[in-house]
Amino acid sequence: MNRALWPQNAMRFDAPYEQLEGAVMWGAGGNAQGPKVPPGTYTVKVSSGGWSQSQTFTLRADPRYQPEMTPEEGQQQLRIAREVGGWIKVLYDDVRTMRDLKSQADKLVENAPNNATVARAATALRDRLTSVEGDITQLQGEGGQDSLNFPGRMDNQLIVLYSNVVGPERRLGTPAMERYDDLKPEATALIDRANTAIKEGVTEFNAVATKAGLAPLVIK
C-alpha cells in the first residue's frame, strides 16, 4: 500500500512577496509564508503511465476552533491575504527600483565630475526617492534590536497584518478586519506616491542628463 500525505505547511499557496533585503522590523521578520488553501471541495488526480484516476475530497479548517471556518470565510481570508501581500510586493518592488535608480544616477555623476547641474539633479532625485522610501521601510535600522529603537514604517504594519491574516486557523476576527480597513487607504496612497516619485523624478533627471550628453536613467 502507498500513502500520500498533504502536510500542514504544504496547504498554502506561494508567498505573494519576497522580504526586502536588510529590512529590520518589529514582530515580523523572516520570509513570508503563503496564504492557506481555504476549506472546500478539491480534486486529486493520480496518474501512472497511461492510467489516471480522479477523486474529490473535502478540506476542512481545524475543527477545534469553533465555529468552524466556512468555505466562504476561507475565500475571504485568501482574498485579503493576496490583497495585502500584493501591496507589500508593489512597495518592495518600488523600493528596489528606487535604489537602482539612485545607483544609476550616482554612476552618471561619476562620469560627469565637473557638471554641477547633473550633480544637483542627482541630489534632488535621491532626496525625493529617499523621502518616499523612508515611509515605506525603516532606513535607520541595521540589526534586530534596532526595531525597538526606530519605529516601523508601512511595510512593518502591512507585514504584521498579513501575518495575522495568514497565520490563524480560525476565521478573520474584528481586529484584523478593522486594521485592514485602516491601512488600505494609506497603503494605496503610498503606492501612488511612490509611482509618481519614480516617474516624475526620472523624467526630470533625464532631461538634465540628456542635455549634458549622458545616458538616461532606465526604470527596470
Side-chain angles (χ1 to χ4, degrees):
M1 297 295 292
N2 295 317
R3 181 174 63 167
L5 298 178
W6 191 4
Q8 181 72 16
N9 61 0
M11 293 192 295
R12 292 182 178 273
F13 295 99
D14 292 337
Y17 68 93
E18 293 183 5
Q19 188 73 20
L20 184 67
E21 300 82 357
V24 176
M25 61 186 66
W26 176 85
N31 295 323
Q33 60 179 345
K36 293 188 296 294
V37 174
T41 301
Y42 296 87
T43 301
V44 60
K45 182 178 181 180
V46 178
S47 300
S48 177
W51 171 89
S52 66
Q53 182 174 338
S54 300
Q55 184 172 328
T56 60
F57 68 96
T58 299
L59 175 67
R60 292 176 56 189
D62 192 331
R64 294 174 296 179
Y65 295 104
Q66 295 295 324
E68 187 173 331
M69 182 190 293
T70 66
E72 293 74 21
E73 291 168 340
Q75 287 293 338
Q76 180 195 41
Q77 185 184 53
L78 176 61
R79 177 184 62 80
I80 292 177
R82 283 176 166 168
E83 186 174 10
V84 176
W87 299 337
I88 300 169
K89 181 183 186 306
V90 170
L91 289 171
Y92 276 173
D93 286 347
D94 285 343
V95 168
R96 295 182 179 103
T97 296
M98 292 176 191
R99 293 176 178 178
D100 178 69
L101 289 171
K102 288 187 285 187
S103 177
Q104 290 184 52
D106 289 342
K107 291 178 181 178
L108 289 177
V109 171
E110 292 177 2
N111 293 333
N114 299 320
N115 195 318
T117 303
V118 173
R120 286 195 298 270
T123 298
L125 175 66
R126 173 173 289 277
D127 291 345
R128 182 172 190 173
L129 296 182
T130 300
S131 175
V132 182
E133 182 184 353
D135 287 337
I136 295 175
T137 191
Q138 177 57 257
L139 300 178
Q140 293 177 280
E142 296 181 358
Q145 291 298 318
D146 285 341
S147 62
L148 302 176
N149 302 321
F150 304 106
R153 301 305 188 193
M154 179 57 68
D155 64 336
N156 202 159
Q157 298 182 62
L158 290 177
I159 289 179
V160 169
L161 172 61
Y162 177 83
S163 299
N164 279 276
V165 171
V166 303
E169 292 293 333
R170 65 189 71 187
R171 59 183 179 177
L172 293 178
T174 300
M177 292 303 301
E178 289 180 346
R179 191 60 178 146
Y180 164 80
D181 291 336
D182 289 341
L183 288 178
K184 182 172 184 175
E186 297 181 19
T188 53
L190 186 54
I191 289 172
D192 290 341
R193 182 179 160 213
N195 184 57
T196 299
I198 290 172
K199 289 184 176 180
E200 293 184 356
V202 168
T203 298
E204 293 172 3
F205 179 86
N206 282 346
V208 176
T210 54
K211 187 176 181 179
L214 299 174
L217 299 180
V218 178
I219 301 176
K220 299 177 182 178

